[in-house]
Amino acid sequence: MPDELSALLAPLLAPTLQRLLAPIKLSPLSRLPTSRLLTTALPNISSIELVSSSAFETDYAPLYTSLFHGGERERPNLIVERLRQDAQGKRAGSHRKVLGAAQFSVLLLDATEDAEDVVAVPYLQYIYVRSENRRQDLSELLHTLVLAVSLASSPNPTKAKVPFTLFETEPPTHGDDTAARKTALERTSIHARSGSKALMLRKPPVSSDGLPVYVSAHVQPGLEPDDPPLTLIWVIRPNPVHQGEALDVNKLGPVVLAAVYRSFRDEAFPEANIALAEEIAEKRRVMSEYCVMGLAEVTRGMYVGID
């Protein structure tokens, strides 16, 4: 039976992306019904592409730099160079209007007993939509395509299991002023509505109340040579196909995060920074187990001054 969302998007997909996603049914991967996307996202889209270095440089970089600032943003020229190395994409200049994009890595996991049925996890670094095009479900459609590309990139796309998308975010208490904390709270509220949870570490009780201690499992390497490591929180957003399924995050967590640091190395970030971040993360794991918790439950003491 033809997949409705796949059929609707097919004319919009650039040839390379269309070939890649040919074996993937998109409707099950969408959190929203196709009938809604048909009236919200799709009327605004003329094309969907895998972004080449030249496309990013001319079309996407201005939107990207306008929405991300300081330490949360990788330098656009580094993204351009990495895309150029991935595929020598060359094309003529463009005057298109970019509505949004998702930048992510597909983590192909080592085949281990702990994660034998999990082949790939998308590690979403950025997802962004032009301000005037928000509330059109474009980010939801991008999330769906991230899952689809991750499935298609696995060794066996028709049988692979991609249980969730992994990304990092600021906790709801993050920020030094009211405006920053309001922004962080809005972000986490949006994530929570999608069923996303914080991936944390649970430690044994250290006080007489007998309650466990929770700390962030997230340690991002500095993106530039002199940048220090950064701790926010890891978030897992369930794939709608696997929503509600039991997930042994204590077994899966180390496998996924090892793949994250491998991805940083593959993308040639400073080795000393990666090694330092790994060392900090490993120290936190001592006498700990991975767990998930509601984003609203994360407090400042769980990620600030914990090392």
Side-chain angles (χ1 to χ4, degrees):
M1 182 176 178
D3 180 74
E4 185 179 11
L5 184 56
S6 299
L8 288 170
L9 288 183
L12 305 177
L13 301 180
T16 302
L17 185 57
Q18 191 174 65
R19 288 192 296 271
L20 180 67
L21 298 185
I24 308 299
K25 291 185 176 182
L26 297 178
S27 295
L29 301 176
S30 176
R31 199 173 66 87
L32 300 179
T34 300
S35 58
R36 172 167 163 170
L37 294 174
L38 191 58
T39 61
T40 55
L42 269 61
N44 300 288
I45 300 170
S46 61
S47 66
I48 303 171
E49 65 182 348
L50 292 173
V51 181
S52 67
S53 58
S54 56
F56 183 85
E57 195 166 26
T58 58
D59 297 334
Y60 292 82
L63 178 60
Y64 167 73
T65 54
S66 72
L67 294 175
F68 295 96
H69 308 280
E72 68 176 348
R73 186 182 73 205
E74 184 183 355
R75 281 191 284 134
N77 65 300
L78 297 180
I79 297 174
V80 169
E81 180 57 30
R82 188 161 62 250
L83 289 170
R84 185 174 288 123
Q85 291 173 359
D86 287 345
Q88 296 294 322
K90 296 181 180 180
R91 65 191 188 93
S94 170
H95 300 287
R96 304 175 304 164
K97 179 181 179 182
V98 170
L99 303 185
Q103 179 179 320
F104 62 101
S105 303
V106 180
L107 306 178
L108 298 178
L109 305 187
D110 290 333
T112 70
E113 183 180 353
D114 293 340
E116 58 186 3
D117 61 342
V118 179
V119 176
V121 168
Y123 169 29
L124 181 62
Q125 288 105 26
Y126 308 102
I127 190 165
Y128 47 99
V129 173
R130 191 175 293 276
S131 58
E132 60 264 37
N133 294 101
R134 290 173 185 165
R135 301 188 183 279
Q136 295 174 354
D137 294 331
L138 294 174
S139 63
E140 285 294 334
L141 183 57
L142 285 168
H143 273 291
T144 298
L145 292 168
V146 166
L147 288 170
V149 170
S150 300
L151 273 170
S153 302
S154 65
N156 191 337
T158 59
K159 294 184 178 180
K161 182 177 181 181
V162 179
F164 54 78
T165 299
L166 177 76
F167 61 96
E168 55 226 330
T169 195
E170 299 167 341
T173 55
H174 188 78
D176 297 325
D177 54 46
T178 302
R181 287 190 291 273
K182 181 181 178 182
T183 299
L185 180 59
E186 288 174 351
R187 283 183 181 177
T188 52
S189 297
I190 292 170
H191 297 325
R193 288 198 294 272
S194 71
S196 299
K197 301 282 188 181
L199 177 64
M200 305 289 285
L201 289 168
R202 180 170 53 228
K203 294 178 174 290
V206 294
S207 61
S208 58
D209 61 15
L211 297 176
V213 175
Y214 295 92
V215 298
S216 174
H218 177 270
V219 189
Q220 177 187 291
L223 302 182
E224 301 286 345
D226 295 329
D227 287 349
L230 173 69
T231 291
L232 297 172
I233 54 171
W234 285 119
V235 179
I236 56 176
R237 173 184 164 120
N239 180 343
V241 172
H242 303 294
Q243 185 95 34
E245 290 184 8
L247 190 66
D248 191 340
V249 293
N250 193 43
K251 287 185 176 181
L252 191 56
V255 180
V256 173
L257 296 189
V260 168
Y261 291 118
R262 188 163 61 245
S263 174
F264 276 110
R265 288 190 168 92
D266 290 344
E267 295 176 0
F269 286 99
E271 172 57 32
N273 292 5
I274 299 170
L276 176 59
E278 275 187 309
E279 180 183 351
I280 294 171
E282 283 299 317
K283 286 181 179 178
R284 288 188 199 165
R285 280 184 58 197
V286 175
M287 298 292 291
S288 303
E289 60 181 6
Y290 286 94
C291 65
V292 293
M293 65 190 305
L295 292 168
E297 300 174 55
V298 178
T299 65
R300 190 172 180 83
M302 295 179 185
Y303 71 98
V304 174
I306 59 176
D307 298 308

